């Protein structure tokens, strides 16, 4: 008998995280959110969540209700459970290695595939769909278009979220800091030189206050 | 008078002089860039249909086994709709799917995967070259562990020629298996078919071709394949695959839409790889650096597939040569086409041994290439990239730096060529409406190369419109016939058909207008100001001209026409690399590529392709390698944590030069740009410090071992 998950052949960080997640989730939920869940006391006296839970996420400035399981990742909640879905963040590695699912959590970049949706209640979440203000693109989005910092485009939302978090918090960021900010993102088409050109161009706009 | 004046043309479309182009041969923003930067672009992975089930595979965790599958427990889990066997009995390669689950949520699908019970009887396997060729090796291929040897050239003649050589060098070069690593994995979303038709969303390089593959498993006569955006292909995505077949069967039998995209692990194990190889080369040359004799023996490693190799001699003229090539089979999935199939492998062997001979003869590394390159285009490009990389100021041109310095810099070169070309395959429709809008449609897929953008640009150029004045629709079979994107033939096949359709639409519009205006169609010309009647000097804006059309507007189709596309392209690349002799760290400082491509449709996108080729070659050089544990036959790096791709920290300065001396028609360039970069890096490492790395990837441990072999280890000095 062999089972790849149990034999440890394919034990990713999140398989561990998911199995531990139900426990961690309880603490992050507010009183009102907890009341709506199927929480219960197990034999060891620790409260765990089971089954489907309706939570409210603050997404791109709006409150969105979504039914998740305690183990549902933020990425899966966005892509698979929200109606209509937010599918700009991409599922690529499913283990926090490629950055394609990067979103902002309280202004900081985070891999949505490594977060549990229930842990994100009460936090300000921004996805690629919320990076532009209405029809006005973020300067980094404009620069990505102008410098052809995308080819197939599958990694693009992740790069934009990583670098925009860097530039929005530090408009004076240097090229090295920009490279550091997206060191956890992977582009297979090889658009890096164009991404750097775009980021530097956007940095100039942001540092100049032209927004 | 406009270049588009119909009287200056004959009856067939022509690109016209480049200097009068407004869009083509210029830099412009992709028409779908905004959709890609806002997350609006919808890929196959993103498709969500009502009542859709998530399907996933369970693969065999070892390379060769007898497998029995028990789905009972998995089927009983909440949220799980179906669990079924895909394959039982003998499993011949690592990762081969044995079961599939379909569930209402991703989480339930994972539960079901964990609950499937596999009874696995391990069988003897071979996952490496040595294991497959061992005396007591298990039988891997249906007809043994190697293919028949393919001989090319006259071995006896080559043996004679070696006697005339001033110097002869011989070495074995090993190239590992690489993965395409498309960020969007393979897969489909299949809608519930009706009695006679179906719709399949498919991440494919062959939108039009794959429709036929789905008809059987869907049991329908007609299939619409939708592929408006796709997250990379690089040669891996030509087939419907086991995922396409199984998803169609599930959708039909369960009467529910099925989302079956491969997991990252499955993507690594069953969805394609660039074959590895072991190549032993012997090269001899005259005192003045003329290549006289080459003997090559190549074992291709493409798992259960045949593998791929570009052949020898590669891009260099050798007076006489002989090669024997065979496939060596292992219990791994079959290789697939990957961007310039076989060529990067051959480039690594050939460029390395040409360098080794140059050092043996004491000849300048640039000189030996210019003396033996097959083409004058290569000679001209070599001079340019040499200038750009700083070769002429470089200190050691025919000997490595063997000084005691701790950080050393070297330069290396490599060449590429590719057939590309194109032919009749695509049918493009251009429609002009009475409201002034213009639509161009064709089924072709855009892999990220910029197809959608140049479809719009070619039509806009022809009609005198801004780029935004044309909407391009691609990536659906109902938009019209198209070829698969393979061998860099999309542009050569599609662009002429777009040009022809735009040309025909313009003439049809002129004919309709002439009737209304009571003038001669031959007197009407289109430019950025609208339409001009040369005889009456009357001018109409585009919008007013279109308003004269009836409600059906004007529509025309186009097909590939001789004379608009060309074939065979050339490139030269150079790399400047710094090595740290204390840590073995290898840092690529700069890469340069000069590439010809006929008429560049969008210079921005061409530059992106050139850079992309260099980036992938850099990644191949330094990091990429499928690792299979040889004793257990299990995958060690089938994920993005352990299969390292080059990323932002590894990026050097990059210079992409479009060779504007090439005045031919359009030619696709994707493949050529990936061919020689890794070889140039390997050569630069040797030039920097005297260590010849003959096994890729080129890693610090190998470099340190090489340095230790060069001279006895000394205690570390502070610097």
């Amino acid at each position: 008998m062999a089972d790849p998950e149990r034999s440890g052949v394919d034990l990713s960080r999140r398989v561990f995280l998911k199995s531990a997640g139900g426990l961690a989730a309880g603490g992050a939920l507010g009183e009102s959110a907890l009341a709506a869940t199927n929480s219960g006391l197990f034999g060891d006296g620790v409260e765990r969540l089971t089954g489907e839970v309706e939570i409210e996420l603050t997404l791109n400035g709006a409150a969105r209700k979504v039914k998740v399981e305690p183990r549902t990742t933020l990425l899966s909640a966005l892509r698979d459970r929200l109606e209509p879905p937010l599918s700009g963040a991409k599922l690529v590695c499913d283990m926090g290695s490629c950055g394609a699912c990067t979103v902002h959590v309280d202004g900081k970049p985070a891999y949505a595939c490594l977060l549990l949706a229930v842990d994100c209640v009460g936090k300000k979440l921004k996805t690629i769909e919320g990076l532009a203000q209405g029809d006005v693109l973020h300067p980094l989005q404009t620069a990505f278009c102008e410098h052809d910092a995308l080819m197939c485009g599958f990694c693009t939302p992740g790069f934009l979220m990583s670098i925009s978090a860097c530039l929005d918090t530090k408009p004076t960021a240097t090229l090295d800091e920009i490279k550091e900010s997206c060191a956890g993102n992977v582009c297979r088409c090889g658009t890096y030189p164009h991404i750097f050109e775009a980021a530097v161009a956007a940095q100039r706009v942001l540092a100049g206050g032209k927004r | 008078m406009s270049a588009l004046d119909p009287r200056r043309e004959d009856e067939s479309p022509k690109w016209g002089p480049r200097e009068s182009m407004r869009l083509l041969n210029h830099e412009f923003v992709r028409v779908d860039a905004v959709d890609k930067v806002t997350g609006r672009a919808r890929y196959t992975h993103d498709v969500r249909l009502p009542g859709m089930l998530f399907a996933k595979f369970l693969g065999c965790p070892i390379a060769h086994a007898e497998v029995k599958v028990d789905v009972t427990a998995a089927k009983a889990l909440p949220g799980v709709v179906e669990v079924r066997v895909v394959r039982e009995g003998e499993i011949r390669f690592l990762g081969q799917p044995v079961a599939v689950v379909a569930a209402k949520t991703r989480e339930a699908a994972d539960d079901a995967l964990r609950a499937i019970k596999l009874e696995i009887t391990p069988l003897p396997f071979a996952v490496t070259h040595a294991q497959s060729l061992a005396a007591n090796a298990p039988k891997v291929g249906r007809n043994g562990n190697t293919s028949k040897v393919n001989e090319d050239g006259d071995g006896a003649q080559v043996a004679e020629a070696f006697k005339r050589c001033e110097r002869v060098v011989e070495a074995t070069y090993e190239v590992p298996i690489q993965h395409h690593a498309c960020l969007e994995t393979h897969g489909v979303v299949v809608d519930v078919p009706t009695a006679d038709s179906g719709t399949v969303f498919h991440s494919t390089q062959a939108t039009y071709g794959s429709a036929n593959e789905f008809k059987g498993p869907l049991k329908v006569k007609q299939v619409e394949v939708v592929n408006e955006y796709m997250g990379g292909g690089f040669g891996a995505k030509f087939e419907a695959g086991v995922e396409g077949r199984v998803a169609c069967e599930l959708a039909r039998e369960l009467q529910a839409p099925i989302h079956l995209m491969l997991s990252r692990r499955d993507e690594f194990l069953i969805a394609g790889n660039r074959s590895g190889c072991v190549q032993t080369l012997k090269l001899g040359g005259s005192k003045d650096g003329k290549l006289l004799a080459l003997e090559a023996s190549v074992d291709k490693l493409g798992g259960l597939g045949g593998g791929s190799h570009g052949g020898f001699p590669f891009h260099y003229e050798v007076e006489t040569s002989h090669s024997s090539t065979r496939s060596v089979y292992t219990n791994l999935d079959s290789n697939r086409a990957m961007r310039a199939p076989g060529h990067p492998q051959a480039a690594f062997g050939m460029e390395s041994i040409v360098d080794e001979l140059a050092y043996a003869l004491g000849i300048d590394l640039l000189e030996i290439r210019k003396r033996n390159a097959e083409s004058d285009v290569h000679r001209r490009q070599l001079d340019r990239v040499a200038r750009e990389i700083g070769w002429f100021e470089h200190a050691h041109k025919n000997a490595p730096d063997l000084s005691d310095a701790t950080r050393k810099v070297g330069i290396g070169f490599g060449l590429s060529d590719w057939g590309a070309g194109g032919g009749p395959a695509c049918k493009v429709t251009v429609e002009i409406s009475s409201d002034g809008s213009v639509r161009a449609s064709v089924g072709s897929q855009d892999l990220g190369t910029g197809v959608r953008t140049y479809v719009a640009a070619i039509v806009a150029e022809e009609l005198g419109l801004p780029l935004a004045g044309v909407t391009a629709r691609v990536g659906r079979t109902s938009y019209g016939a198209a070829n698969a994107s393979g061998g860099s033939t999309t542009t050569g096949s599609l662009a002429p058909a777009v040009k022809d359709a735009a040309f025909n639409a313009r003439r049809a519009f002129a004919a309709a207008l002439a009737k209304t205006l009571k003038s001669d169609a031959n007197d009407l010309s289109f430019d950025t100001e609208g339409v001009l009647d040369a005889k009456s000097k009357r001018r109409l804006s585009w919008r007013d001209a279109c308003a004269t059309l009836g409600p059906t507007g004007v529509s025309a189709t186009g097909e590939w026409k001789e004379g608009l596309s060309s074939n065979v392209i050339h490139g030269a690349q150079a790399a400047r690399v710094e090595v740290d002799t204390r840590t073995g760290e290898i840092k690529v400082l700069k890469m340069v590529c000069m590439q010809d491509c006929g008429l560049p449709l969008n210079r921005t996108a061409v530059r992106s392709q050139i850079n992309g080729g260099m980036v992938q070659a850099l990644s191949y050089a330094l990091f990429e390698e499928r690792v299979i544990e040889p004793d257990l036959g299990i995958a060690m790096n089938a994920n993005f944590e352990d299969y390292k791709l080059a990323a932002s920290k590894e990026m050097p300065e990059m210079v992409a030069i479009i060779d504007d001396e090439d005045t031919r028609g359009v030619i696709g360039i994707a493949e050529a740009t990936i061919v020689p970069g890794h070889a140039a890096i390997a050569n630069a490492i040797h030039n920097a410090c005297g260590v010849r790395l003959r096994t890729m990837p080129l890693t610090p441990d190998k470099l340190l071992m090489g340095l230790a072999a060069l001279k006895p280890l000394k205690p570390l000095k502070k610097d």
Side-chain angles (χ1 to χ4, degrees):
Chain A
M1 304 284 284
D3 176 330
E5 291 283 357
R6 264 178 231 137
S7 66
V9 171
D10 191 30
L11 189 68
S12 66
R13 289 206 294 260
R14 194 164 54 73
V15 171
F16 169 77
L17 201 130
K18 274 176 163 172
S19 41
L23 177 60
L29 288 171
E31 288 297 317
S32 58
L34 260 183
T37 68
N38 303 321
S39 63
L41 284 174
F42 285 68
D44 54 6
V46 178
E47 189 174 45
R48 289 181 177 81
L49 306 177
T50 61
E52 280 202 337
V53 180
E54 187 174 73
I55 58 170
E56 192 175 277
L57 296 175
T58 312
L59 274 166
N60 302 324
R64 296 280 303 269
K65 284 194 162 47
V66 58
K67 276 189 184 156
V68 300
E69 292 181 47
R71 59 178 170 166
T72 303
T73 62
L74 174 60
L75 183 60
S76 184
L78 296 173
R79 294 178 53 83
D80 308 326
R81 288 174 176 265
L82 265 181
E83 194 51 56
L86 291 174
S87 57
K90 299 290 185 257
L91 174 73
V92 171
C93 70
D94 206 14
M95 62 188 297
S97 303
C98 78
C101 65
T102 304
V103 297
H104 295 179
V105 179
D106 289 335
K108 290 187 180 140
Y111 292 149
C113 76
L114 288 186
L115 291 171
L116 295 170
V118 290
D119 279 344
C120 296
V121 172
K123 296 183 176 167
K124 278 190 191 139
L125 305 173
K126 191 191 273 186
T127 67
I128 186 66
E129 289 88 349
L131 189 60
Q133 290 181 355
D135 289 339
V136 183
L137 296 180
H138 186 285
L140 188 64
Q141 288 173 305
T142 307
F144 261 55
C145 295
E146 286 171 354
H147 294 268
D148 211 37
L150 47 91
M151 290 182 74
C152 84
F154 214 68
C155 72
T156 309
F159 270 95
L160 282 163
M161 296 312 281
S162 294
I163 301 173
S164 66
C166 166
L167 294 180
D168 286 345
T169 45
K170 191 178 180 194
T172 57
T174 62
L175 178 57
D176 279 345
E177 286 168 323
I178 288 165
K179 287 184 178 179
E180 180 72 36
S181 77
C182 63
N185 294 73
V186 172
C187 167
R188 187 44 154 170
C189 299
T191 59
Y192 296 98
H194 302 256
I195 289 173
F196 301 152
E197 280 175 26
V200 167
Q203 186 271 329
R204 290 200 187 113
V205 172
L206 287 165
K210 283 181 270 171
R211 184 80 203 262
Chain B
M1 192 141 296
S2 158
L4 302 171
D5 188 322
R7 286 168 303 178
R8 283 174 48 180
E9 300 173 19
D10 49 19
E11 293 299 303
S12 65
K14 290 189 175 51
W15 293 117
R18 290 189 191 182
E19 54 277 12
S20 59
M21 290 176 174
R22 291 175 302 114
L23 287 165
L24 306 182
N25 195 34
H26 285 71
E27 302 202 329
F28 48 92
V29 173
R30 283 168 203 257
V31 295
D32 46 14
V34 172
D35 282 343
K36 287 180 178 175
V37 300
T38 52
R40 283 205 296 264
R42 190 175 69 158
Y43 298 76
T44 304
H45 261 230
D46 304 331
V47 174
R48 299 289 176 268
L49 301 174
M52 188 181 82
L53 302 176
F54 289 96
K56 294 187 178 194
F57 281 134
L58 181 65
C60 180
I62 59 173
H64 191 200
E66 191 74 29
V67 174
K68 273 194 215 161
V69 183
D70 179 356
V71 300
T72 327
K75 249 182 168 167
L77 291 171
V80 176
V81 175
E82 174 69 334
V83 186
R84 60 170 69 167
V85 174
V86 173
R87 190 187 168 92
E88 276 186 312
E90 188 190 1
I91 299 300
R92 294 178 62 223
F93 66 89
L94 174 60
Q96 186 165 13
V98 294
V100 67
V101 304
K104 288 177 182 165
T105 64
R106 270 186 203 286
E107 292 86 352
D110 286 333
D111 290 341
L113 287 183
R114 277 189 285 268
I116 295 170
K117 291 192 169 62
L118 299 185
E119 193 177 307
I120 297 176
T121 310
L123 298 172
F125 60 83
V127 290
T128 65
H129 181 243
Q131 282 176 338
S132 185
L133 295 179
N136 59 348
K139 191 177 154 195
V140 178
R142 295 279 184 222
N143 302 306
N145 288 7
T146 58
S147 69
K148 78 172 190 30
V149 178
N150 201 344
E151 303 270 350
D152 190 19
D154 183 344
Q157 205 177 5
V158 172
E160 265 318 296
F162 276 123
K163 294 178 188 160
R164 294 187 282 116
C165 293
E166 173 77 10
R167 296 297 296 269
V168 175
V169 288
E170 184 170 9
T172 296
Y173 304 92
E174 293 183 51
V175 179
I177 289 173
Q178 183 191 22
H179 289 285
H180 302 73
C182 305
L183 291 202
E184 182 180 42
T185 60
H186 284 65
V188 290
V189 176
V190 185
D191 203 351
V192 180
T194 65
D196 53 6
S197 72
T199 301
V200 180
F201 299 83
H202 188 201
S203 183
T204 176
Q205 292 175 239
T207 303
Y208 212 81
S210 76
N212 282 328
E213 288 190 77
F214 295 124
K215 285 179 190 167
L218 277 178
K219 295 192 174 166
V220 295
K221 293 196 191 84
Q222 178 75 28
V223 173
E224 166 91 318
V225 171
V226 184
N227 179 30
E228 292 180 342
Y229 290 93
M230 67 181 289
F234 311 113
K237 291 181 178 169
F238 287 110
E239 308 156 18
V242 59
E243 63 279 8
R245 176 177 59 80
V246 168
C248 285
E249 288 166 359
L250 288 172
R252 177 171 53 79
E253 291 169 32
L254 302 176
Q255 287 292 299
I258 298 293
H259 183 285
L260 203 178
M261 305 299 299
L262 296 187
S263 69
R264 184 51 56 186
R265 179 181 163 87
D266 290 342
E267 182 73 12
F268 272 106
L269 296 183
I270 69 167
N273 62 76
R274 182 193 291 288
S275 55
C277 68
V278 178
Q279 34 194 349
T280 298
L281 304 180
K282 186 175 170 187
L283 179 67
S286 67
K287 200 171 181 178
D288 62 354
K290 189 80 197 113
L291 304 182
L292 298 180
L294 173 68
E295 177 66 44
S297 131
V298 181
D299 281 356
K300 299 179 290 180
L301 291 164
L304 292 172
S308 185
H309 193 278
F312 288 119
F314 192 73
H315 301 329
Y316 293 97
E317 276 178 357
V318 184
E319 214 172 84
T320 177
S321 74
H322 171 254
S323 63
S324 20
T325 307
R326 64 177 178 175
S327 307
V328 175
Y329 304 113
T330 55
N331 292 108
L332 300 172
D333 68 322
S334 176
N335 66 295
R336 293 188 185 181
M338 182 167 175
R339 199 169 180 178
H343 280 225
Q345 296 95 316
F348 181 60
M350 192 72 197
E351 297 290 356
S352 296
I353 198 138
V354 165
D355 248 39
E356 300 215 39
L357 183 65
Y359 287 112
L361 290 165
I363 290 178
D364 178 318
L365 303 176
L366 180 67
E367 262 326 297
I368 197 163
R369 287 181 164 74
K370 287 173 64 180
R371 258 171 236 183
N372 296 285
E374 283 173 343
S375 154
D376 285 338
V377 178
H378 275 145
R379 274 181 273 280
R380 158 181 108 212
Q381 293 176 334
L382 276 166
D383 275 332
R384 178 68 192 277
V385 298
R387 196 166 78 228
E388 204 69 42
I389 204 76
W391 177 251
F392 299 111
E393 305 83 50
H394 189 58
H396 25 275
K397 295 190 177 67
N398 58 6
D401 178 0
L402 296 174
S403 72
D404 280 340
T406 51
R407 283 173 186 273
K408 301 178 173 191
V409 173
I411 290 175
F413 298 97
L415 297 178
S416 71
D417 68 14
W418 191 257
C426 302
K427 188 174 176 188
V428 181
T429 305
V430 171
E431 299 157 279
I432 304 171
S433 300
S434 55
D435 65 358
S437 65
V438 179
R439 205 161 72 170
S441 311
V442 63
S444 307
Q445 51 286 328
D446 187 337
L447 279 68
T449 51
V451 164
R452 183 182 274 108
T453 304
Y454 72 62
V455 167
I458 292 168
V459 176
E461 181 86 51
E462 181 77 16
L463 298 178
L465 293 171
L467 184 57
V470 180
T471 302
R473 303 192 305 169
V474 302
R476 259 181 197 266
T477 41
S478 55
Y479 292 161
N483 58 326
S485 290
S488 300
T489 59
T490 309
T491 298
S493 301
L494 174 59
V498 179
K499 178 71 178 174
D500 187 45
F503 174 83
N504 292 337
R506 178 171 60 76
R507 288 165 62 94
F509 190 13
L513 259 180
K515 232 182 227 172
T516 319
L517 302 177
K518 302 205 177 358
S519 72
D520 187 335
N522 289 323
D523 288 327
L524 299 179
S525 62
F526 295 75
D527 58 28
T528 51
E529 309 279 303
V531 187
L532 178 69
D533 183 344
K535 200 174 283 171
S536 69
K537 304 289 179 223
R538 190 174 159 197
R539 197 170 249 299
L540 278 177
S541 72
W542 173 261
R543 202 167 267 277
D544 290 345
C546 290
T548 68
L549 294 169
T552 51
V554 166
S555 171
T557 60
E559 290 173 6
W560 185 84
K561 289 281 183 322
E562 190 84 46
L564 294 170
S565 60
S566 241
N567 58 22
V568 185
I569 53 170
H570 313 79
Q573 297 192 13
R576 171 185 278 271
V577 174
E578 182 186 75
V579 300
D580 187 322
T581 58
R582 298 162 300 183
T583 63
E585 188 191 0
I586 298 162
K587 191 169 172 56
V588 182
L589 301 175
K590 184 171 180 174
M591 290 180 83
V592 180
C593 172
M594 187 175 199
Q595 181 65 52
D596 63 10
C597 65
L599 169 65
L601 292 170
N602 177 358
R603 296 182 75 89
T604 305
V606 170
R607 215 162 56 84
S608 288
Q609 283 274 34
I610 295 173
N611 283 328
M614 286 193 282
V615 169
Q616 288 188 351
L618 180 152
S619 189
Y620 187 39
L622 301 184
F623 304 117
E624 295 186 45
E625 174 181 27
R626 164 187 268 183
V627 182
I628 307 295
E629 211 293 320
D631 294 327
L632 299 173
I634 59 171
M636 299 303 287
N637 63 345
N639 62 67
F640 273 148
E641 190 73 23
D642 303 310
Y643 187 92
K644 165 80 176 151
L645 296 177
S648 73
K649 295 283 191 80
E650 286 86 34
M651 288 305 125
E653 178 190 352
M654 308 197 93
V655 182
I657 305 165
I658 300 171
D659 188 342
D660 284 312
E661 285 190 49
D662 182 3
T663 56
R664 298 173 294 167
V666 296
I667 318 175
I669 64 148
E671 330 259 346
T673 59
I674 202 180
V675 173
H678 56 294
I681 290 170
N683 286 342
I685 291 170
H686 181 275
N687 183 247
C689 66
V691 175
R692 175 62 60 184
L693 295 180
R694 299 188 181 93
T695 301
M696 287 174 43
L698 316 169
T699 52
D701 59 321
K702 291 174 192 161
L703 183 63
L704 288 175
M705 293 298 281
L707 286 165
L710 279 184
K711 44 186 154 183
L713 286 170
K714 283 190 293 186
L716 281 177
K717 273 188 296 186
K718 281 187 184 166
D719 62 1

